[in-house]
Amino acid sequence: MRVSIFLCITALITGFQTVAAQDVPYVYEVEHTGKHFAVPQMPDADQLPVIHELPNALEGVSSFNDWAKRRSDIGHLIQHYGIGVKPTVEPAQVKARMEGDTLIVDVTVDKETLTLKSEIHYPKTGNAPYALMIGTDMIALPRQLLEDKPIATATFVSAQVNDYKQWGKHHERGEHHFDRLYPTLKDNGAYSEWAWGMSRLIDGLQQLGPEATKIDTKHISVTGCSYAGKMALYCGAFDERIALTIAQEPGGGGAAVWRKSHELTLAGKKLEDIDKTDYHWFLESQKENFHGDSVYQLPYDQHELCAMICPRALLLLGNPDYEWLADESMQVSAEAAHCVWKFFGIPDRMAWSIVGQHGHCQLPQSQWPIVQSFIDRYLLDSREMRDER
Protein backbone atom coordinates (compact mmCIF):
# COMPACT_ATOMS: atom_id res chain seq x y z
CA MET A 1 0.00 0.00 0.00
CA ARG A 2 2.15 2.80 -1.36
CA VAL A 3 -0.45 5.55 -1.43
CA SER A 4 1.54 7.65 1.04
CA ILE A 5 4.35 7.97 -1.49
CA PHE A 6 1.83 8.97 -4.19
CA LEU A 7 0.31 11.62 -1.94
CA CYS A 8 3.69 13.09 -1.06
CA ILE A 9 4.74 13.22 -4.73
CA THR A 10 1.45 14.96 -5.52
CA ALA A 11 2.16 17.47 -2.77
CA LEU A 12 5.60 18.21 -4.17
CA ILE A 13 4.21 18.71 -7.69
CA THR A 14 1.41 21.07 -6.65
CA GLY A 15 3.01 22.51 -3.55
CA PHE A 16 4.10 25.70 -5.31
CA GLN A 17 0.58 27.01 -4.73
CA THR A 18 0.63 26.50 -0.95
CA VAL A 19 0.96 29.36 1.50
CA ALA A 20 4.14 30.07 3.41
CA ALA A 21 4.45 27.93 6.53
CA GLN A 22 4.60 30.96 8.83
CA ASP A 23 1.11 31.96 7.66
CA VAL A 24 -0.49 28.64 8.63
CA PRO A 25 -2.27 28.92 12.01
CA TYR A 26 -1.29 26.74 14.96
CA VAL A 27 -4.84 26.65 16.33
CA TYR A 28 -8.24 28.30 15.88
CA GLU A 29 -10.70 30.05 18.15
CA VAL A 30 -13.74 28.18 16.80
CA GLU A 31 -14.72 24.53 16.97
CA HIS A 32 -15.25 24.08 13.22
CA THR A 33 -13.94 26.56 10.66
CA GLY A 34 -15.83 24.77 7.87
CA LYS A 35 -19.23 25.04 9.53
CA HIS A 36 -20.63 27.12 6.67
CA PHE A 37 -19.87 24.56 3.95
CA ALA A 38 -22.68 22.39 2.62
CA VAL A 39 -22.76 18.70 3.49
CA PRO A 40 -21.40 16.67 0.55
CA GLN A 41 -23.51 14.00 -1.12
CA MET A 42 -23.64 10.73 0.82
CA PRO A 43 -24.45 7.81 -1.51
CA ASP A 44 -25.86 4.58 -0.10
CA ALA A 45 -23.00 2.29 0.90
CA ASP A 46 -23.68 -0.20 -1.90
CA GLN A 47 -23.36 2.61 -4.44
CA LEU A 48 -19.89 3.67 -3.32
CA PRO A 49 -16.95 2.83 -5.60
CA VAL A 50 -14.33 0.26 -4.69
CA ILE A 51 -11.08 1.98 -3.67
CA HIS A 52 -8.25 -0.43 -2.85
CA GLU A 53 -5.66 2.23 -2.11
CA LEU A 54 -6.11 4.80 0.62
CA PRO A 55 -8.38 7.67 -0.44
CA ASN A 56 -6.53 10.88 -1.20
CA ALA A 57 -6.84 13.21 1.80
CA LEU A 58 -5.82 16.11 -0.44
CA GLU A 59 -8.48 15.48 -3.09
CA GLY A 60 -9.35 18.82 -4.69
CA VAL A 61 -6.82 20.74 -2.58
CA SER A 62 -4.35 23.00 -4.38
CA SER A 63 -3.67 25.52 -1.60
CA PHE A 64 -4.26 26.01 2.09
CA ASN A 65 -7.38 28.02 1.28
CA ASP A 66 -8.98 24.79 0.03
CA TRP A 67 -8.28 22.85 3.21
CA ALA A 68 -11.19 24.08 5.36
CA LYS A 69 -13.73 22.68 2.90
CA ARG A 70 -11.84 19.43 2.33
CA ARG A 71 -11.47 18.94 6.08
CA SER A 72 -15.19 19.63 6.52
CA ASP A 73 -16.06 17.07 3.84
CA ILE A 74 -13.90 14.40 5.49
CA GLY A 75 -15.56 15.11 8.84
CA HIS A 76 -19.02 14.66 7.33
CA LEU A 77 -17.98 11.35 5.75
CA ILE A 78 -16.64 10.03 9.05
CA GLN A 79 -19.80 11.04 10.89
CA HIS A 80 -22.18 9.67 8.25
CA TYR A 81 -20.53 6.30 7.65
CA GLY A 82 -18.50 5.72 10.82
CA ILE A 83 -19.35 7.30 14.16
CA GLY A 84 -22.61 9.25 13.92
CA VAL A 85 -23.42 12.93 14.15
CA LYS A 86 -21.60 15.34 16.42
CA PRO A 87 -24.39 17.92 16.83
CA THR A 88 -23.80 21.65 16.74
CA VAL A 89 -24.37 23.59 19.96
CA GLU A 90 -25.17 27.29 20.04
CA PRO A 91 -23.47 29.53 22.66
CA ALA A 92 -26.80 30.28 24.38
CA GLN A 93 -27.21 26.55 25.13
CA VAL A 94 -24.07 26.50 27.30
CA LYS A 95 -23.77 27.93 30.81
CA ALA A 96 -20.46 27.60 32.62
CA ARG A 97 -19.24 28.37 36.12
CA MET A 98 -16.31 27.61 38.41
CA GLU A 99 -16.80 26.07 41.84
CA GLY A 100 -13.38 26.30 43.42
CA ASP A 101 -11.07 24.67 40.89
CA THR A 102 -13.85 22.67 39.22
CA LEU A 103 -15.25 23.71 35.86
CA ILE A 104 -18.98 23.02 35.60
CA VAL A 105 -20.74 23.23 32.24
CA ASP A 106 -24.49 22.87 31.76
CA VAL A 107 -25.63 22.11 28.21
CA THR A 108 -29.37 22.49 27.54
CA VAL A 109 -31.16 21.15 24.48
CA ASP A 110 -34.98 21.17 24.26
CA LYS A 111 -35.35 21.65 28.04
CA GLU A 112 -33.03 18.72 28.80
CA THR A 113 -29.77 19.58 30.56
CA LEU A 114 -26.54 17.60 30.74
CA THR A 115 -23.92 18.67 33.28
CA LEU A 116 -20.16 18.19 32.82
CA LYS A 117 -17.67 18.62 35.65
CA SER A 118 -13.89 18.68 35.42
CA GLU A 119 -11.46 19.62 38.18
CA ILE A 120 -8.52 21.68 36.99
CA HIS A 121 -5.17 21.01 38.66
CA TYR A 122 -2.96 24.07 38.43
CA PRO A 123 0.85 23.99 38.21
CA LYS A 124 3.11 25.23 40.97
CA THR A 125 5.25 27.16 38.52
CA GLY A 126 4.66 29.89 35.97
CA ASN A 127 1.92 32.47 35.78
CA ALA A 128 -1.68 32.30 34.68
CA PRO A 129 -3.19 31.90 32.17
CA TYR A 130 -1.78 28.39 31.85
CA ALA A 131 -1.68 25.91 29.01
CA LEU A 132 -4.01 22.97 29.67
CA MET A 133 -3.66 19.24 29.04
CA ILE A 134 -6.96 17.33 29.17
CA GLY A 135 -6.87 13.58 29.61
CA THR A 136 -9.64 11.51 28.05
CA ASP A 137 -10.69 9.66 31.22
CA MET A 138 -7.08 9.98 32.42
CA ILE A 139 -3.62 11.16 31.41
CA ALA A 140 -1.57 8.01 30.80
CA LEU A 141 1.62 9.94 30.02
CA PRO A 142 4.24 9.84 32.80
CA ARG A 143 3.72 12.66 35.26
CA GLN A 144 7.43 13.47 35.04
CA LEU A 145 6.80 14.93 31.59
CA LEU A 146 4.54 17.58 33.08
CA GLU A 147 6.21 18.27 36.42
CA ASP A 148 7.83 21.66 36.88
CA LYS A 149 6.08 23.02 33.77
CA PRO A 150 3.44 25.77 33.67
CA ILE A 151 0.77 23.37 32.39
CA ALA A 152 -2.55 22.79 34.11
CA THR A 153 -4.22 19.38 33.82
CA ALA A 154 -7.82 18.19 33.81
CA THR A 155 -9.81 15.07 32.99
CA PHE A 156 -12.73 14.72 30.63
CA VAL A 157 -14.94 12.14 32.34
CA SER A 158 -16.52 10.38 29.37
CA ALA A 159 -19.21 8.65 31.47
CA GLN A 160 -20.82 12.03 32.06
CA VAL A 161 -21.83 11.93 28.38
CA ASN A 162 -21.92 8.25 27.45
CA ASP A 163 -21.10 5.71 30.16
CA TYR A 164 -20.25 2.83 27.83
CA LYS A 165 -17.32 0.75 29.05
CA GLN A 166 -15.91 -2.46 27.62
CA TRP A 167 -16.26 -4.12 31.00
CA GLY A 168 -18.74 -3.73 33.84
CA LYS A 169 -22.22 -2.23 33.97
CA HIS A 170 -23.17 0.45 31.48
CA HIS A 171 -26.18 1.78 29.65
CA GLU A 172 -27.06 0.74 26.11
CA ARG A 173 -27.73 2.85 23.03
CA GLY A 174 -30.58 5.25 23.65
CA GLU A 175 -30.06 5.24 27.43
CA HIS A 176 -27.06 7.52 27.85
CA HIS A 177 -27.17 11.11 29.14
CA PHE A 178 -26.41 12.31 25.62
CA ASP A 179 -29.55 10.55 24.38
CA ARG A 180 -31.80 12.63 26.63
CA LEU A 181 -30.66 15.69 24.68
CA TYR A 182 -30.57 14.04 21.26
CA PRO A 183 -33.04 11.11 21.15
CA THR A 184 -32.91 11.01 17.34
CA LEU A 185 -29.15 10.26 17.54
CA LYS A 186 -29.51 7.12 19.67
CA ASP A 187 -27.70 5.07 16.99
CA ASN A 188 -24.56 7.18 17.37
CA GLY A 189 -21.26 5.58 18.26
CA ALA A 190 -19.64 6.66 21.52
CA TYR A 191 -16.79 8.51 19.80
CA SER A 192 -19.05 11.14 18.24
CA GLU A 193 -20.70 11.71 21.62
CA TRP A 194 -17.45 11.87 23.53
CA ALA A 195 -16.04 14.37 21.01
CA TRP A 196 -19.20 16.44 21.54
CA GLY A 197 -18.62 16.40 25.31
CA MET A 198 -15.00 17.50 25.04
CA SER A 199 -16.08 20.44 22.91
CA ARG A 200 -18.59 21.52 25.53
CA LEU A 201 -15.84 21.69 28.16
CA ILE A 202 -13.87 23.94 25.82
CA ASP A 203 -17.02 26.03 25.30
CA GLY A 204 -17.14 26.53 29.06
CA LEU A 205 -13.49 27.56 29.25
CA GLN A 206 -13.99 30.09 26.47
CA GLN A 207 -17.20 31.44 27.96
CA LEU A 208 -15.66 32.09 31.38
CA GLY A 209 -12.33 33.35 30.09
CA PRO A 210 -8.86 33.27 31.67
CA GLU A 211 -9.84 35.59 34.52
CA ALA A 212 -12.12 32.89 35.94
CA THR A 213 -10.40 29.70 34.75
CA LYS A 214 -6.70 30.73 34.65
CA ILE A 215 -6.52 28.83 31.35
CA ASP A 216 -5.14 29.99 28.00
CA THR A 217 -7.62 28.46 25.54
CA LYS A 218 -5.15 28.86 22.66
CA HIS A 219 -2.95 26.24 24.30
CA ILE A 220 -5.14 23.19 24.94
CA SER A 221 -3.96 19.60 24.46
CA VAL A 222 -5.91 16.33 24.60
CA THR A 223 -4.35 12.95 25.30
CA GLY A 224 -5.43 9.41 26.09
CA CYS A 225 -4.35 5.79 25.69
CA SER A 226 -5.95 2.71 24.12
CA TYR A 227 -9.73 3.25 23.73
CA ALA A 228 -9.09 6.70 25.22
CA GLY A 229 -6.33 7.22 22.66
CA LYS A 230 -9.02 6.83 20.02
CA MET A 231 -11.15 9.24 22.02
CA ALA A 232 -8.37 11.84 22.10
CA LEU A 233 -7.90 11.45 18.34
CA TYR A 234 -11.60 12.01 17.57
CA CYS A 235 -11.75 14.94 19.99
CA GLY A 236 -8.71 16.56 18.37
CA ALA A 237 -9.97 15.92 14.85
CA PHE A 238 -13.41 17.41 15.49
CA ASP A 239 -12.46 20.53 17.48
CA GLU A 240 -10.05 23.03 15.96
CA ARG A 241 -9.55 24.78 19.28
CA ILE A 242 -7.31 21.91 20.39
CA ALA A 243 -3.70 22.87 19.67
CA LEU A 244 -2.06 19.49 20.36
CA THR A 245 -3.39 15.94 20.20
CA ILE A 246 -1.34 13.07 21.64
CA ALA A 247 -2.93 9.70 20.84
CA GLN A 248 -1.18 6.92 22.75
CA GLU A 249 -1.59 3.35 21.45
CA PRO A 250 -5.01 4.11 19.89
CA GLY A 251 -5.28 0.83 17.95
CA GLY A 252 -7.83 -0.05 15.28
CA GLY A 253 -10.54 2.52 14.77
CA GLY A 254 -8.09 5.17 15.89
CA ALA A 255 -5.09 5.94 13.70
CA ALA A 256 -4.76 2.50 12.08
CA VAL A 257 -6.24 2.43 8.59
CA TRP A 258 -9.01 -0.14 8.13
CA ARG A 259 -7.83 -1.19 4.66
CA LYS A 260 -4.34 -2.22 5.77
CA SER A 261 -5.73 -3.97 8.85
CA HIS A 262 -8.04 -6.00 6.61
CA GLU A 263 -5.05 -7.08 4.51
CA LEU A 264 -3.13 -8.06 7.65
CA THR A 265 -6.10 -10.05 8.95
CA LEU A 266 -6.26 -11.98 5.69
CA ALA A 267 -2.55 -12.69 6.16
CA GLY A 268 -3.25 -14.28 9.55
CA LYS A 269 -2.68 -11.37 11.95
CA LYS A 270 -4.98 -11.12 14.95
CA LEU A 271 -5.73 -7.46 15.29
CA GLU A 272 -8.53 -4.94 15.62
CA ASP A 273 -9.99 -4.52 12.16
CA ILE A 274 -13.36 -3.24 10.97
CA ASP A 275 -14.94 -6.65 11.66
CA LYS A 276 -13.45 -7.04 15.12
CA THR A 277 -13.81 -3.72 16.91
CA ASP A 278 -16.29 -2.68 19.60
CA TYR A 279 -19.43 -1.46 17.90
CA HIS A 280 -20.68 0.55 20.84
CA TRP A 281 -17.95 2.96 19.71
CA PHE A 282 -19.15 3.20 16.11
CA LEU A 283 -22.35 3.12 14.09
CA GLU A 284 -23.49 -0.48 13.83
CA SER A 285 -24.13 0.25 10.16
CA GLN A 286 -20.37 0.62 9.66
CA LYS A 287 -19.92 -3.11 10.13
CA GLU A 288 -23.03 -3.93 8.08
CA ASN A 289 -21.84 -1.80 5.18
CA PHE A 290 -18.06 -2.23 5.22
CA HIS A 291 -17.33 -5.69 6.61
CA GLY A 292 -14.81 -7.94 4.89
CA ASP A 293 -13.80 -6.87 1.39
CA SER A 294 -16.53 -4.21 1.52
CA VAL A 295 -14.01 -2.13 3.48
CA TYR A 296 -12.70 -1.04 0.08
CA GLN A 297 -15.96 0.86 -0.45
CA LEU A 298 -15.44 2.97 2.66
CA PRO A 299 -15.09 6.47 1.16
CA TYR A 300 -12.42 7.52 3.67
CA ASP A 301 -9.92 5.86 5.98
CA GLN A 302 -8.35 6.65 9.33
CA HIS A 303 -5.39 8.57 7.89
CA GLU A 304 -7.98 11.21 7.01
CA LEU A 305 -9.22 11.32 10.60
CA CYS A 306 -5.60 12.08 11.54
CA ALA A 307 -5.32 14.62 8.73
CA MET A 308 -8.33 16.55 10.05
CA ILE A 309 -6.04 17.75 12.85
CA CYS A 310 -3.83 19.59 10.35
CA PRO A 311 -2.53 22.33 10.60
CA ARG A 312 -2.58 21.77 14.35
CA ALA A 313 -0.10 19.43 16.07
CA LEU A 314 -0.50 15.64 16.25
CA LEU A 315 1.70 12.98 17.86
CA LEU A 316 0.88 9.26 17.50
CA LEU A 317 2.48 6.75 19.87
CA GLY A 318 2.51 3.01 19.17
CA ASN A 319 3.53 -0.26 20.81
CA PRO A 320 4.21 -3.12 18.35
CA ASP A 321 4.38 -5.73 21.14
CA TYR A 322 0.57 -5.85 21.10
CA GLU A 323 -0.51 -7.18 17.71
CA TRP A 324 -4.13 -6.23 18.42
CA LEU A 325 -3.18 -2.53 18.21
CA ALA A 326 -2.47 -2.89 14.48
CA ASP A 327 0.57 -0.63 14.53
CA GLU A 328 1.61 -1.77 11.04
CA SER A 329 -1.61 -0.14 9.90
CA MET A 330 -0.94 2.95 12.01
CA GLN A 331 2.46 3.29 10.35
CA VAL A 332 0.81 3.31 6.90
CA SER A 333 -1.77 5.79 8.17
CA ALA A 334 0.82 8.09 9.72
CA GLU A 335 2.88 8.23 6.52
CA ALA A 336 -0.19 9.07 4.43
CA ALA A 337 -1.51 11.65 6.89
CA HIS A 338 1.90 13.30 7.26
CA CYS A 339 1.80 14.22 3.59
CA VAL A 340 -0.95 16.71 4.38
CA TRP A 341 1.21 18.59 6.89
CA LYS A 342 4.12 18.33 4.44
CA PHE A 343 1.95 19.75 1.64
CA PHE A 344 1.35 22.89 3.69
CA GLY A 345 5.02 23.26 4.61
CA ILE A 346 4.62 22.30 8.28
CA PRO A 347 5.85 18.68 8.49
CA ASP A 348 7.27 19.18 11.99
CA ARG A 349 3.77 19.57 13.46
CA MET A 350 2.97 15.88 12.99
CA ALA A 351 5.02 12.85 14.04
CA TRP A 352 4.73 9.26 15.20
CA SER A 353 6.81 6.92 17.32
CA ILE A 354 6.30 3.14 17.51
CA VAL A 355 8.44 1.50 20.21
CA GLY A 356 8.08 -1.90 21.88
CA GLN A 357 9.34 -3.71 24.98
CA HIS A 358 6.97 -2.07 27.44
CA GLY A 359 3.50 -2.62 28.85
CA HIS A 360 0.33 -1.30 27.29
CA CYS A 361 -0.06 2.42 28.08
CA GLN A 362 3.30 2.40 29.89
CA LEU A 363 5.29 4.95 27.91
CA PRO A 364 8.98 3.88 27.84
CA GLN A 365 11.70 6.43 28.52
CA SER A 366 12.87 6.08 24.91
CA GLN A 367 9.67 7.86 23.85
CA TRP A 368 9.85 10.59 26.47
CA PRO A 369 11.98 12.98 24.34
CA ILE A 370 9.54 13.19 21.41
CA VAL A 371 6.58 13.64 23.76
CA GLN A 372 8.47 16.30 25.70
CA SER A 373 9.37 18.04 22.47
CA PHE A 374 5.75 18.27 21.33
CA ILE A 375 4.56 19.44 24.75
CA ASP A 376 7.26 22.10 24.97
CA ARG A 377 6.79 23.31 21.43
CA TYR A 378 3.02 23.30 21.03
CA LEU A 379 1.82 24.03 24.56
CA LEU A 380 4.64 26.31 25.68
CA ASP A 381 7.25 27.47 23.17
CA SER A 382 4.73 27.92 20.38
CA ARG A 383 3.22 30.99 22.01
CA GLU A 384 6.61 32.70 21.85
CA MET A 385 7.09 31.44 18.28
CA ARG A 386 3.78 32.99 17.28
CA ASP A 387 4.66 36.27 18.94
CA GLU A 388 7.89 36.39 16.98
CA ARG A 389 6.06 35.76 13.70
Side-chain angles (χ1 to χ4, degrees):
M1 188 168 285
R2 307 306 298 169
V3 70
S4 59
I5 294 176
F6 169 77
L7 288 178
C8 286
I9 291 173
T10 301
L12 288 173
I13 293 172
T14 61
F16 297 107
Q17 301 177 55
T18 61
V19 298
Q22 63 264 30
D23 297 326
V24 178
Y26 280 90
V27 72
Y28 297 88
E29 295 185 0
V30 297
E31 179 181 349
H32 179 24
T33 57
K35 181 180 177 179
H36 58 287
F37 291 114
V39 178
Q41 288 188 335
M42 301 290 179
D44 291 341
D46 61 0
Q47 299 300 308
L48 292 165
V50 172
I51 307 172
H52 283 279
E53 295 291 353
L54 296 185
N56 184 358
L58 290 166
E59 183 70 35
V61 175
S62 60
S63 74
F64 187 70
N65 291 333
D66 299 324
W67 179 239
K69 183 181 186 305
R70 177 57 180 157
R71 181 189 171 279
S72 179
D73 288 349
I74 292 169
H76 284 301
L77 290 172
I78 293 172
Q79 290 175 80
H80 183 80
Y81 295 107
I83 62 172
V85 175
K86 180 191 178 189
T88 300
V89 173
E90 299 300 326
Q93 296 175 286
V94 177
K95 301 296 181 185
R97 64 189 185 277
M98 294 292 296
E99 289 189 1
D101 292 343
T102 299
L103 171 67
I104 301 176
V105 180
D106 293 322
V107 187
T108 301
V109 178
D110 294 335
K111 298 182 180 180
E112 289 284 347
T113 299
L114 184 153
T115 299
L116 300 170
K117 298 182 179 181
S118 182
E119 184 179 1
I120 300 174
H121 300 275
Y122 295 100
K124 297 179 180 179
T125 186
N127 299 306
Y130 300 104
L132 174 66
M133 178 174 285
I134 305 175
T136 46
D137 282 343
M138 67 175 292
I139 295 175
L141 299 173
R143 293 292 175 176
Q144 297 95 315
L145 296 176
L146 301 175
E147 287 177 350
D148 302 323
K149 292 187 178 295
I151 299 173
T153 59
T155 298
F156 166 59
V157 182
S158 65
Q160 295 176 358
V161 176
N162 178 320
D163 73 347
Y164 174 70
K165 302 293 182 185
Q166 289 175 287
W167 298 277
K169 292 184 63 176
H170 59 81
H171 290 95
E172 296 295 340
R173 277 185 163 92
E175 301 174 341
H176 299 289
H177 294 306
F178 177 91
D179 300 313
R180 290 191 291 104
L181 276 62
Y182 302 102
T184 62
L185 300 180
K186 62 181 179 62
D187 293 329
N188 266 15
Y191 285 123
S192 63
E193 299 177 3
W194 287 334
W196 174 92
M198 176 68 75
S199 291
R200 306 295 67 86
L201 282 184
I202 298 173
D203 287 346
L205 292 169
Q206 283 189 324
Q207 183 181 104
L208 293 173
E211 296 79 11
T213 66
K214 304 178 185 177
I215 296 301
D216 176 0
T217 55
K218 292 183 179 179
H219 290 81
I220 295 175
S221 171
V222 295
T223 185
C225 189
S226 197
Y227 83 93
K230 294 180 182 62
M231 195 190 312
L233 194 56
Y234 281 100
C235 290
F238 281 94
D239 197 316
E240 295 178 90
R241 297 170 294 184
I242 294 170
L244 169 62
T245 301
I246 303 177
Q248 187 178 358
E249 301 182 42
V257 286
W258 294 122
R259 284 167 169 80
K260 182 63 176 180
S261 291
H262 177 59
E263 293 176 7
L264 292 170
T265 295
L266 293 177
K269 300 280 187 177
K270 297 185 183 301
L271 45 77
E272 184 178 12
D273 65 8
I274 205 162
D275 294 301
K276 297 187 296 294
T277 190
D278 190 323
Y279 270 91
H280 285 84
W281 292 335
F282 304 95
L283 292 171
E284 291 181 335
S285 60
Q286 178 182 259
K287 185 173 184 178
E288 297 167 6
N289 293 328
F290 305 110
H291 64 279
D293 286 345
S294 298
V295 71
Y296 298 119
Q297 288 183 274
L298 190 68
Y300 67 91
D301 216 320
Q302 299 303 97
H303 67 298
E304 292 176 288
L305 173 71
C306 297
M308 283 181 66
I309 295 173
C310 184
R312 296 164 293 126
L314 170 64
L315 177 61
L316 302 174
L317 301 169
N319 183 350
D321 291 353
Y322 294 82
E323 188 173 82
W324 178 254
L325 295 176
D327 277 345
E328 288 181 68
S329 300
M330 187 173 82
Q331 174 75 32
V332 171
S333 180
E335 291 175 359
H338 189 240
C339 293
V340 177
W341 277 267
K342 187 180 293 186
F343 182 81
F344 298 126
I346 50 171
D348 55 324
R349 296 189 198 177
M350 188 267 176
W352 60 97
S353 173
I354 301 174
V355 174
Q357 299 186 338
H358 61 92
H360 185 41
C361 296
Q362 303 295 314
L363 192 79
Q365 289 196 11
S366 61
Q367 286 183 309
W368 288 20
I370 191 169
V371 176
Q372 192 71 75
S373 173
F374 267 68
I375 290 172
D376 287 348
R377 185 165 190 180
Y378 299 110
L379 284 190
L380 299 175
D381 293 348
S382 57
R383 77 183 72 179
E384 282 75 32
M385 290 167 59
R386 268 175 255 172
D387 290 343
E388 290 173 4
R389 289 175 175 175

